[in-house]
Amino acid sequence: QVQLVESGGGLVQAGGSLRLSCTASGGTFFVYIMGWFRQAPGKEREFVSTISRSGDTTHYADSVKGRFTISRDNAKNTAYLQMNSLKPEDTAVYYCAAGISGYTSAISDNKRAYDDWGQGTQVTVAS
């Protein structure tokens, strides 16, 4: 089990940028697939992006492709989500998640692949 703490959320104008961080502790970070999900009020939690253990494979939801970039630094036990060209519809609580995988290039957009979740960080994009 790994503990995850997100940071970097806040209020930004449409077209602006934010960088979310997710720092892990209590586990061996490099064995985990990392994912970012978000949940807007009244909606289901939805997939945003995922990155493999090695960082060489990534995947994005169509709604954020070309605007968001996921990365990780295994030496710092931290995953990142760089969010550019933000839109009001990106407003949500953003969660990072970790799931153990035996494959260095495996990724997943399925919530059930992830065992550990952070507490979430609010991102609000004003129009």
Side-chain angles (χ1 to χ4, degrees), residues 12-27:
V12 65
Q13 294 293 316
S17 297
L18 285 173
R19 187 196 197 200
L20 305 184
S21 298
C22 173
T23 301
S25 61

Side-chain angles (χ1 to χ4, degrees), residues 7-13 15-21 67-69 80-86 90 94 121-125:
S7 61
L11 173 65
V12 65
Q13 294 293 316
S17 297
L18 285 173
R19 187 196 197 200
L20 305 184
S21 298
R67 301 188 296 121
F68 290 11
T69 302
Y80 304 96
L81 186 68
Q82 177 67 44
M83 306 186 295
N84 298 330
S85 303
L86 282 161
D90 294 318
Y94 282 71
T121 186
Q122 177 70 47
V123 171
T124 303
V125 184

Side-chain angles (χ1 to χ4, degrees), residues 54-81:
S54 61
D56 63 351
T57 305
T58 59
H59 177 55
Y60 299 90
D62 287 343
S63 59
V64 307
K65 202 171 293 183
R67 301 188 296 121
F68 290 11
T69 302
I70 191 171
S71 61
R72 65 189 295 163
D73 185 337
N74 287 345
K76 295 183 178 180
N77 291 349
T78 302
Y80 304 96
L81 186 68

